[in-house]
mmCIF file of all heavy atoms in Angstrom:
data_model
loop_
_atom_site.group_PDB
_atom_site.id
_atom_site.type_symbol
_atom_site.label_atom_id
_atom_site.label_comp_id
_atom_site.label_asym_id
_atom_site.label_seq_id
_atom_site.Cartn_x
_atom_site.Cartn_y
_atom_site.Cartn_z
ATOM 1 N N THR O 26 87.069 92.122 126.801
ATOM 2 C CA THR O 26 87.658 91.356 125.707
ATOM 3 C C THR O 26 87.133 89.925 125.684
ATOM 4 O O THR O 26 87.158 89.224 126.697
ATOM 5 C CB THR O 26 89.190 91.334 125.824
ATOM 6 O OG1 THR O 26 89.661 92.673 125.817
ATOM 7 C CG2 THR O 26 89.813 90.581 124.659
ATOM 8 N N GLY O 27 86.633 89.507 124.532
ATOM 9 C CA GLY O 27 86.095 88.158 124.397
ATOM 10 C C GLY O 27 86.653 87.447 123.181
ATOM 11 O O GLY O 27 87.627 87.895 122.562
ATOM 12 N N GLY O 28 85.999 86.347 122.815
ATOM 13 C CA GLY O 28 86.477 85.525 121.720
ATOM 14 C C GLY O 28 86.529 86.255 120.390
ATOM 15 O O GLY O 28 87.456 86.052 119.594
ATOM 16 N N GLU O 29 85.537 87.121 120.127
ATOM 17 C CA GLU O 29 85.515 87.830 118.851
ATOM 18 C C GLU O 29 86.699 88.797 118.745
ATOM 19 O O GLU O 29 87.339 88.897 117.686
ATOM 20 C CB GLU O 29 84.202 88.597 118.685
ATOM 21 C CG GLU O 29 84.066 89.249 117.329
ATOM 22 C CD GLU O 29 82.717 89.908 117.114
ATOM 23 O OE1 GLU O 29 81.853 89.828 118.014
ATOM 24 O OE2 GLU O 29 82.524 90.508 116.036
ATOM 25 N N ASP O 30 86.987 89.507 119.840
ATOM 26 C CA ASP O 30 88.126 90.429 119.834
ATOM 27 C C ASP O 30 89.433 89.686 119.570
ATOM 28 O O ASP O 30 90.279 90.130 118.789
ATOM 29 C CB ASP O 30 88.226 91.159 121.180
ATOM 30 C CG ASP O 30 87.102 92.163 121.373
ATOM 31 O OD1 ASP O 30 86.536 92.619 120.379
ATOM 32 O OD2 ASP O 30 86.801 92.487 122.538
ATOM 33 N N LEU O 31 89.601 88.542 120.231
ATOM 34 C CA LEU O 31 90.817 87.753 120.043
ATOM 35 C C LEU O 31 90.915 87.231 118.608
ATOM 36 O O LEU O 31 92.008 87.134 118.041
ATOM 37 C CB LEU O 31 90.845 86.579 121.031
ATOM 38 C CG LEU O 31 90.974 86.953 122.510
ATOM 39 C CD1 LEU O 31 90.804 85.720 123.385
ATOM 40 C CD2 LEU O 31 92.322 87.611 122.791
ATOM 41 N N ARG O 32 89.762 86.908 118.017
ATOM 42 C CA ARG O 32 89.752 86.421 116.640
ATOM 43 C C ARG O 32 90.204 87.519 115.678
ATOM 44 O O ARG O 32 90.914 87.254 114.700
ATOM 45 C CB ARG O 32 88.352 85.941 116.264
ATOM 46 C CG ARG O 32 88.303 85.266 114.903
ATOM 47 C CD ARG O 32 86.891 84.915 114.510
ATOM 48 N NE ARG O 32 86.856 84.160 113.263
ATOM 49 C CZ ARG O 32 85.746 83.916 112.575
ATOM 50 N NH1 ARG O 32 84.600 84.367 113.010
ATOM 51 N NH2 ARG O 32 85.780 83.214 111.461
ATOM 52 N N VAL O 33 89.804 88.763 115.959
ATOM 53 C CA VAL O 33 90.218 89.889 115.123
ATOM 54 C C VAL O 33 91.739 90.037 115.153
ATOM 55 O O VAL O 33 92.398 90.158 114.117
ATOM 56 C CB VAL O 33 89.562 91.198 115.601
ATOM 57 C CG1 VAL O 33 90.141 92.400 114.856
ATOM 58 C CG2 VAL O 33 88.050 91.147 115.409
ATOM 59 N N ILE O 34 92.288 90.007 116.372
ATOM 60 C CA ILE O 34 93.737 90.158 116.545
ATOM 61 C C ILE O 34 94.478 89.028 115.831
ATOM 62 O O ILE O 34 95.481 89.254 115.143
ATOM 63 C CB ILE O 34 94.086 90.175 118.049
ATOM 64 C CG1 ILE O 34 93.483 91.425 118.707
ATOM 65 C CG2 ILE O 34 95.598 90.148 118.254
ATOM 66 C CD1 ILE O 34 93.524 91.405 120.227
ATOM 67 N N LYS O 35 93.970 87.803 115.977
ATOM 68 C CA LYS O 35 94.622 86.644 115.382
ATOM 69 C C LYS O 35 94.505 86.666 113.862
ATOM 70 O O LYS O 35 95.464 86.331 113.141
ATOM 71 C CB LYS O 35 94.012 85.348 115.923
ATOM 72 C CG LYS O 35 94.861 84.121 115.648
ATOM 73 C CD LYS O 35 96.192 84.236 116.369
ATOM 74 C CE LYS O 35 97.085 83.067 116.105
ATOM 75 N NZ LYS O 35 98.385 83.202 116.800
ATOM 76 N N THR O 36 93.340 87.071 113.344
ATOM 77 C CA THR O 36 93.156 87.157 111.901
ATOM 78 C C THR O 36 94.139 88.146 111.288
ATOM 79 O O THR O 36 94.773 87.874 110.264
ATOM 80 C CB THR O 36 91.713 87.575 111.564
ATOM 81 O OG1 THR O 36 90.801 86.588 112.054
ATOM 82 C CG2 THR O 36 91.519 87.722 110.062
ATOM 83 N N SER O 37 94.281 89.294 111.944
ATOM 84 C CA SER O 37 95.233 90.310 111.477
ATOM 85 C C SER O 37 96.652 89.757 111.465
ATOM 86 O O SER O 37 97.416 89.956 110.510
ATOM 87 C CB SER O 37 95.153 91.549 112.371
ATOM 88 O OG SER O 37 96.107 92.508 111.994
ATOM 89 N N GLU O 38 96.981 89.025 112.514
ATOM 90 C CA GLU O 38 98.323 88.432 112.635
ATOM 91 C C GLU O 38 98.577 87.401 111.536
ATOM 92 O O GLU O 38 99.644 87.389 110.908
ATOM 93 C CB GLU O 38 98.455 87.778 114.012
ATOM 94 C CG GLU O 38 99.795 87.139 114.288
ATOM 95 C CD GLU O 38 99.816 86.443 115.640
ATOM 96 O OE1 GLU O 38 99.344 87.045 116.623
ATOM 97 O OE2 GLU O 38 100.290 85.293 115.708
ATOM 98 N N ILE O 39 97.593 86.545 111.290
ATOM 99 C CA ILE O 39 97.732 85.504 110.259
ATOM 100 C C ILE O 39 97.896 86.129 108.879
ATOM 101 O O ILE O 39 98.721 85.690 108.066
ATOM 102 C CB ILE O 39 96.505 84.562 110.286
ATOM 103 C CG1 ILE O 39 96.511 83.715 111.557
ATOM 104 C CG2 ILE O 39 96.485 83.663 109.052
ATOM 105 C CD1 ILE O 39 95.242 82.910 111.776
ATOM 106 N N LEU O 40 97.104 87.166 108.593
ATOM 107 C CA LEU O 40 97.191 87.834 107.290
ATOM 108 C C LEU O 40 98.561 88.475 107.093
ATOM 109 O O LEU O 40 99.153 88.379 106.008
ATOM 110 C CB LEU O 40 96.087 88.884 107.161
ATOM 111 C CG LEU O 40 94.655 88.338 107.036
ATOM 112 C CD1 LEU O 40 93.640 89.477 107.113
ATOM 113 C CD2 LEU O 40 94.488 87.562 105.731
ATOM 114 N N ARG O 41 99.073 89.123 108.133
ATOM 115 C CA ARG O 41 100.403 89.754 108.031
ATOM 116 C C ARG O 41 101.486 88.692 107.835
ATOM 117 O O ARG O 41 102.413 88.869 107.035
ATOM 118 C CB ARG O 41 100.685 90.578 109.288
ATOM 119 C CG ARG O 41 99.929 91.907 109.327
ATOM 120 C CD ARG O 41 100.492 92.818 110.419
ATOM 121 N NE ARG O 41 99.911 94.152 110.340
ATOM 122 C CZ ARG O 41 98.918 94.590 111.097
ATOM 123 N NH1 ARG O 41 98.391 93.783 112.005
ATOM 124 N NH2 ARG O 41 98.456 95.812 110.966
ATOM 125 N N ASP O 42 101.366 87.585 108.583
ATOM 126 C CA ASP O 42 102.348 86.502 108.445
ATOM 127 C C ASP O 42 102.315 85.888 107.053
ATOM 128 O O ASP O 42 103.298 85.296 106.607
ATOM 129 C CB ASP O 42 102.082 85.412 109.500
ATOM 130 C CG ASP O 42 102.427 85.866 110.917
ATOM 131 O OD1 ASP O 42 103.089 86.920 111.051
ATOM 132 O OD2 ASP O 42 102.030 85.181 111.875
ATOM 133 N N SER O 43 101.163 86.027 106.376
ATOM 134 C CA SER O 43 101.019 85.476 105.030
ATOM 135 C C SER O 43 101.466 86.458 103.948
ATOM 136 O O SER O 43 101.307 86.192 102.759
ATOM 137 C CB SER O 43 99.552 85.083 104.788
ATOM 138 O OG SER O 43 99.135 84.120 105.741
ATOM 139 N N GLY O 44 101.997 87.608 104.395
ATOM 140 C CA GLY O 44 102.544 88.565 103.439
ATOM 141 C C GLY O 44 101.603 89.668 102.997
ATOM 142 O O GLY O 44 101.945 90.459 102.114
ATOM 143 N N HIS O 45 100.413 89.735 103.586
ATOM 144 C CA HIS O 45 99.455 90.774 103.214
ATOM 145 C C HIS O 45 99.700 92.052 104.034
ATOM 146 O O HIS O 45 100.237 91.998 105.148
ATOM 147 C CB HIS O 45 98.024 90.293 103.426
ATOM 148 C CG HIS O 45 97.673 89.086 102.620
ATOM 149 N ND1 HIS O 45 97.543 89.123 101.252
ATOM 150 C CD2 HIS O 45 97.439 87.791 102.991
ATOM 151 C CE1 HIS O 45 97.231 87.915 100.803
ATOM 152 N NE2 HIS O 45 97.171 87.084 101.846
ATOM 153 N N THR O 46 99.269 93.171 103.508
ATOM 154 C CA THR O 46 99.311 94.436 104.231
ATOM 155 C C THR O 46 97.959 94.655 104.894
ATOM 156 O O THR O 46 96.915 94.590 104.220
ATOM 157 C CB THR O 46 99.598 95.616 103.276
ATOM 158 O OG1 THR O 46 100.860 95.402 102.646
ATOM 159 C CG2 THR O 46 99.625 96.937 104.039
ATOM 160 N N VAL O 47 97.965 94.864 106.199
ATOM 161 C CA VAL O 47 96.717 95.031 106.947
ATOM 162 C C VAL O 47 96.582 96.471 107.421
ATOM 163 O O VAL O 47 97.490 97.013 108.065
ATOM 164 C CB VAL O 47 96.654 94.067 108.152
ATOM 165 C CG1 VAL O 47 95.394 94.330 108.981
ATOM 166 C CG2 VAL O 47 96.681 92.619 107.683
ATOM 167 N N VAL O 48 95.464 97.084 107.092
ATOM 168 C CA VAL O 48 95.119 98.423 107.572
ATOM 169 C C VAL O 48 93.992 98.268 108.588
ATOM 170 O O VAL O 48 93.027 97.539 108.339
ATOM 171 C CB VAL O 48 94.663 99.332 106.407
ATOM 172 C CG1 VAL O 48 94.297 100.711 106.924
ATOM 173 C CG2 VAL O 48 95.743 99.419 105.343
ATOM 174 N N GLU O 49 94.107 98.917 109.719
ATOM 175 C CA GLU O 49 93.137 98.733 110.807
ATOM 176 C C GLU O 49 92.269 99.968 111.005
ATOM 177 O O GLU O 49 92.771 101.088 111.030
ATOM 178 C CB GLU O 49 93.872 98.400 112.106
ATOM 179 C CG GLU O 49 94.681 97.112 112.041
ATOM 180 C CD GLU O 49 95.616 96.955 113.228
ATOM 181 O OE1 GLU O 49 95.808 97.962 113.959
ATOM 182 O OE2 GLU O 49 96.146 95.851 113.427
#
């Protein structure tokens, strides 16, 4: 696990917190 993986997780989290539906 590196910076890119953490960025993916964080991006998904930010989008969900902003009210978007995220499909993985």
Side-chain angles (χ1 to χ4, degrees):
T26 302
E29 185 175 358
D30 290 337
L31 293 173
R32 187 185 185 192
V33 172
I34 295 168
K35 195 64 181 179
T36 298
S37 177
E38 181 183 314
I39 291 171
L40 290 172
R41 284 193 172 99
D42 289 347
S43 301
H45 300 291
T46 300
V47 176
V48 179
E49 299 168 347

